């Protein structure tokens, strides 16, 4: 397909201008019909309209001027007023069909400015990054309501409810929660500093600083506000506390799990975001395909997930997607013909047709006690959120040996460390290996941004440090940073897995407590691909970077 030339593009623009439709609609039609990538279209538009372009790398070096053109209007019209490092006022815009834009900004700014054309994705990315810091930090720096601790619980997370709050403390907490949900953060970290606090979001598994509040008196009020929401003791500051609360966001309920930890400067808070319907409302839904495993791994997992009985163990550190993988497995095998029961702490996603039981330690409902009760409820398949103690491990093994298919997770670094964990819990090795079908260790790796990734030549030094050698057909890539990925070079995550399928020989080796090195060598002979090798395959395909693999997996 031939690319659109400048005269053809001009004809297309003139045709679209004659249509009686919204400027935003015209711009979308231009993007669809121009048959050009984003940068090529931008360059041709700049030449036709005799205006300079500005790249995302240059835009992020500028400072927004929201006092002249407020944030909400900038979002609505996909433009922004900024000052560059030379203190020049720039109007950065994307839609060449918005004929009233210039006059409107002249009226708003009341001072001269230079017009610059940018890709809409870059403007949106710049505004999104500014909104995170503005909502969570800047709004807290004025009109602080001192000493207010008794406030109403969060009922609604929206721009309207945030603007309506009179208390600056409540407004900061709500805006932080709102921004985190909008950015798809998995955790919110609020760290108390000697002179204030720092707010960070965990995005795609990595902490991202969102800003600081330089107000020492504010930190204690914010921590107290969160503790009130989580129904914790605001007078106790010397011991860790755990709680949870619920809020409404875009018409659905979101659960937040709160951990408060004493520190030398006061207390630190980590809030885990549990959006129960986030996956089921997405286009792909809960399935193994949606998690990003390669076809060979998916085929192996599906074969094991359809066994009538036995134990399936998933292992990995916190945040590696273990529970999500089990949810995906249960969703795929849930035909309505079996009784499926889960016991979790907490219930992270709601599954239709599945009995889900939340652990409640305060009321005496532990994993072990709940699992014993589940066995009297005539289940076919059971999911135990996590095996933490010998009693739960023993009951889970016995459940698998008595005709149930048991899904569970345990914290370990790889599939071979799991063996030692269970044997050290006092589980009979012969019962354990008889019950066990497969062990899956998984990790989540950030993937290169599709909007800005470009070929990368790996140096011999980098390959030497990573103890890796690239195949001849390798096509490594790296994102340079753009509006789509908020300048990180990464967008989204993909799962990789290490699978240990048990056969008779392997069961005998484990039961006789053979050395791990011997078990590992045999497993690799039988086709087990180690986590690092699976991760490196994504590097050679240009899906992630060597730095990301080194961050997530161990060398060796």
């Amino acid at each position: 397909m031939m690319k659109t030339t400048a005269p053809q593009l001009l004809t297309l623009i003139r045709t679209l201008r004659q249509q009686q439709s919204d400027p935003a609609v015209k711009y979308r039609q231009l993007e669809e019909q121009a048959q050009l990538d984003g940068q090529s279209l931008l360059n041709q538009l700049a030449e036709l309209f005799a205006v300079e372009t500005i790249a995302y790398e240059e835009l992020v070096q500028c400072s927004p001027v929201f006092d002249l053109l407020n944030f909400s209007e900038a979002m609505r019209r996909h433009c922004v007023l900024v000052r560059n490092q030379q203190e020049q006022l720039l109007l950065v815009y994307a839609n060449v069909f918005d004929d009233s834009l210039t006059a409107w900004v002249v009226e708003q700014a009341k001072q001269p400015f230079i017009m610059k054309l940018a890709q809409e994705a870059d403007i949106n990315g710049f505004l999104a990054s500014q909104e995170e810091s503005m909502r969570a930090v800047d709004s807290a720096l004025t009109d602080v309501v001192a000493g207010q601790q008794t406030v109403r619980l969060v009922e609604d997370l929206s721009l309207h409810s945030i603007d309506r709050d009179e208390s600056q403390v409540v407004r900061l907490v709500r805006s932080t929660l709102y921004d985190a949900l909008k950015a798809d953060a998995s955790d919110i970290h609020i760290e108390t500093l000697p002179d204030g606090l720092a707010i960070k979001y965990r995005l795609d598994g990595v902490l991202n600083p969102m800003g600081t509040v330089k107000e020492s008196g504010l930190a204690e009020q914010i921590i107290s506000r969160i503790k009130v929401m989580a129904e914790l003791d605001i007078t106790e500051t010397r011991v860790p506390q755990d709680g949870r609360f619920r809020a409404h966001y875009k018409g659905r309920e979101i659960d937040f799990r709160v951990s408060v930890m004493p520190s030398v400067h006061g207390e630190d808070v980590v809030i885990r975001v549990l959006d129960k319907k986030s996956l089921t409302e997405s286009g792909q839904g809960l399935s193994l395909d949606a998690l990003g495993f390669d076809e060979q791994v998916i085929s192996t997992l599906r074969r094991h997930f359809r066994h009538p009985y036995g134990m399936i163990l998933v292992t990995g550190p916190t945040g590696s997607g273990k529970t999500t993988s089990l949810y995906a497995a249960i969703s795929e095998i849930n035909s309505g013909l079996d009784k499926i029961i889960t016991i979790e702490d907490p219930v992270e996603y709601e599954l239709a047709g599945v009995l889900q039981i939340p652990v409640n330690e305060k009321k005496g409902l532990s994993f072990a006690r709940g699992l014993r009760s589940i066995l009297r409820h005539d289940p076919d398949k059971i999911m135990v959120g996590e095996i933490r103690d010998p009693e739960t491990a023993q009951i889970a093994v016995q459940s698998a040996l008595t005709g149930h298919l048991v899904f569970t997770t345990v914290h370990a670094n790889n599939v071979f460390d799991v063996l030692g964990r269970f044997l050290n819990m006092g589980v009979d090795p012969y019962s354990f290996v008889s019950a066990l079908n497969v062990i899956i260790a998984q990790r989540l790796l950030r993937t290169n941004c599709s909007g800005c990734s470009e070929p990368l030549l790996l140096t011999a030094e980098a390959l030497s440090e990573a103890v890796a050698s690239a195949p001849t057909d390798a096509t490594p890539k790296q994102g340079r940073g753009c509006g789509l990925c908020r300048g990180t070079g990464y967008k989204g995550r993909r799962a990789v897995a290490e699978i240990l399928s048990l056969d008779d020989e392997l069961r005998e080796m484990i039961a006789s407590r053979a050395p791990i090195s011997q078990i590992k060598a045999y497993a690799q002979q039988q086709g087990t691909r180690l986590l690092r090798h699976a991760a490196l395959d994504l590097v050679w395909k240009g899906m992630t970077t060597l730095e990301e693999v080194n961050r997530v997996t161990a060398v060796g």
Side-chain angles (χ1 to χ4, degrees):
M1 183 181 295
M2 295 185 63
K3 291 186 177 181
T4 304
T5 62
Q8 292 171 329
L9 184 63
L10 183 59
T11 301
L12 177 58
I13 292 172
R14 287 172 177 170
T15 302
L16 292 172
R17 280 191 179 278
Q18 295 173 2
Q19 296 181 5
Q20 299 297 319
S21 59
D22 186 86
V25 174
K26 294 178 183 178
Y27 187 75
R28 293 286 175 269
Q29 291 176 332
L30 178 67
E31 289 181 315
E32 293 172 1
Q33 299 176 31
Q35 299 175 10
L36 294 169
D37 61 76
Q39 190 60 46
S40 299
L41 176 60
L42 180 71
N43 294 337
Q44 289 207 24
L45 288 175
E47 185 176 348
L48 288 174
F49 288 88
V51 63
E52 294 183 356
T53 64
I54 182 169
Y56 182 77
E57 294 83 355
E58 185 181 351
L59 181 58
V60 295
Q61 300 299 319
C62 300
S63 303
V65 191
F66 291 133
D67 56 334
L68 298 181
L69 179 59
N70 68 58
F71 180 84
S72 59
E73 290 293 344
M75 285 287 287
R76 185 174 66 85
R77 302 190 73 152
H78 303 289
C79 65
V80 62
L81 272 176
V82 298
R83 289 197 187 278
N84 61 15
Q85 295 179 338
Q86 290 76 42
E87 291 299 317
Q88 295 174 311
L89 187 63
L90 309 178
L91 171 62
V92 182
Y93 72 107
N95 193 346
V96 294
F97 294 104
D98 195 346
D99 298 324
S100 63
L101 179 65
T102 304
W104 176 69
V105 176
V106 167
E107 179 64 24
Q108 297 288 321
K110 294 182 171 57
Q111 55 183 281
F113 55 83
I114 301 170
M115 300 188 70
K116 297 270 190 176
L117 200 60
Q119 294 189 54
E120 187 175 303
D122 289 346
I123 296 174
N124 291 342
F126 176 76
L127 288 172
S129 65
Q130 294 299 319
E131 183 189 20
E132 286 163 3
S133 58
M134 180 182 68
R135 281 290 177 191
V137 178
D138 294 348
S139 63
L141 299 180
T142 58
D143 301 327
V144 174
V145 180
Q148 180 163 345
Q149 293 184 346
T150 305
V151 290
R152 69 185 185 277
L153 295 178
V154 173
E155 296 177 353
D156 178 47
L157 295 179
S158 64
L159 291 175
H160 176 68
S161 66
I162 292 169
D163 292 336
R164 188 179 56 202
D165 283 318
E166 295 180 1
S167 167
Q168 193 65 30
V169 175
V170 176
R171 191 154 59 243
L172 185 141
V173 173
R174 285 196 176 191
S175 61
T176 300
L177 296 174
Y178 175 86
D179 292 342
L181 290 170
K182 187 174 180 180
D184 292 326
S186 61
D187 300 87
I188 305 165
H189 289 241
I190 300 175
E191 301 174 355
T192 305
L193 307 174
D195 58 348
L197 57 80
I199 299 173
K200 303 175 182 178
Y201 297 160
R202 188 174 295 279
L203 303 173
D204 290 334
V206 177
L207 280 179
N208 290 260
M210 292 295 117
T212 58
V213 178
K214 298 297 183 181
E215 176 59 58
S216 57
L218 189 61
E220 185 177 342
Q221 297 177 52
I222 292 170
I223 302 299
S224 294
R225 164 63 179 165
I226 295 172
K227 289 167 75 173
V228 167
M229 292 163 56
E231 299 181 355
L232 301 177
D233 185 357
I234 64 173
T235 63
E236 180 57 75
T237 60
R238 296 165 296 179
V239 297
Q241 295 189 67
D242 297 301
R244 62 192 63 188
F245 64 92
R246 183 171 294 176
H248 293 278
Y249 174 72
K250 292 186 177 179
R252 66 177 186 264
E253 285 190 346
I254 311 293
D255 284 340
F256 297 90
R257 188 169 56 187
V258 179
S259 172
V260 181
M261 192 71 64
S263 71
V264 293
H265 302 301
E267 290 178 293
D268 281 16
V269 174
V270 174
I271 305 174
R272 168 64 60 88
V273 181
L274 300 172
D275 188 354
K276 297 180 182 179
K277 296 184 179 179
S278 61
L279 284 180
T280 53
E281 289 183 351
S282 67
Q284 293 175 301
L286 275 169
S287 70
L288 295 173
D289 298 295
L291 303 181
F293 290 115
D294 61 46
E295 292 183 3
Q296 181 181 353
V297 169
I298 290 175
S299 176
T300 303
L301 293 180
R302 282 182 173 145
R303 186 176 72 252
H304 285 290
F305 291 161
R306 290 191 173 92
H307 282 181
Y309 53 83
M311 178 182 286
I312 295 169
L313 273 174
V314 182
T315 186
T318 300
S320 59
K322 302 186 297 296
T323 304
T324 305
S325 293
L326 291 186
Y327 277 140
I330 290 173
S331 296
E332 289 197 1
I333 65 175
N334 185 15
S335 62
L337 301 177
D338 295 315
K339 182 73 171 182
I340 303 176
I341 306 178
T342 75
I343 180 164
E344 310 166 54
D345 184 24
V347 174
E348 296 190 14
Y349 303 109
E350 295 175 354
L351 301 175
V354 177
L355 173 57
Q356 296 175 269
I357 305 169
V359 165
N360 191 335
E361 296 283 359
K362 293 180 180 179
K363 299 295 184 181
L365 180 57
S366 63
F367 275 113
R369 182 175 178 181
L371 186 51
R372 281 196 298 266
S373 299
I374 286 173
L375 293 175
R376 295 192 292 269
H377 210 69
D378 191 28
D380 296 294
K381 296 175 173 61
I382 303 168
M383 174 181 146
V384 183
E386 182 184 346
I387 290 182
R388 301 173 178 173
D389 55 78
E391 186 179 7
T392 306
Q394 294 278 7
I395 301 171
V397 169
Q398 292 303 316
S399 302
L401 289 173
T402 54
H404 304 92
L405 184 62
V406 179
F407 298 88
T408 189
T409 72
V410 65
H411 286 288
N413 292 324
N414 53 57
V415 295
F416 306 103
D417 289 348
V418 172
L419 306 174
R421 284 292 307 275
F422 268 80
L423 297 179
N424 289 336
M425 286 184 185
V427 177
D428 176 60
Y430 291 97
S431 298
F432 176 54
V433 296
S434 298
L436 190 59
N437 292 344
V438 64
I439 306 174
I440 305 151
Q442 72 174 64
R443 297 291 189 277
L444 295 176
L445 287 91
R446 292 181 295 169
T447 52
N448 290 327
C449 174
S450 60
C452 64
S453 62
E454 52 191 16
L456 174 70
L457 180 62
L458 294 174
T459 64
E461 182 181 0
L463 292 171
S464 175
E465 291 179 356
V467 192
S469 57
T472 55
D473 60 346
T475 56
K477 294 182 179 180
Q478 185 172 26
R480 66 176 185 278
C482 67
L484 185 64
C485 62
R486 300 169 182 261
T488 64
Y490 298 98
K491 182 67 174 178
R493 289 191 290 177
R494 186 183 180 99
V496 293
E498 174 180 279
I499 302 175
L500 182 65
S501 300
L502 272 74
D503 58 17
D504 292 340
E505 180 70 23
L506 199 53
R507 286 188 171 94
E508 289 181 9
M509 294 172 67
I510 296 171
S512 61
R513 296 181 181 268
I516 291 296
S517 58
Q518 185 179 339
I519 296 174
K520 188 174 182 179
Y522 175 79
Q524 288 184 273
Q525 291 175 7
Q526 299 304 114
T528 295
R529 182 175 56 164
L530 301 183
L531 265 173
R532 185 167 180 84
H533 297 163
L536 286 171
D537 285 345
L538 297 185
V539 176
W540 313 141
K541 295 175 182 177
M543 295 181 181
T544 190
T545 63
L546 203 54
E547 290 78 10
E548 178 67 3
V549 171
N550 291 338
R551 183 184 71 84
V552 173
T553 66
V555 177

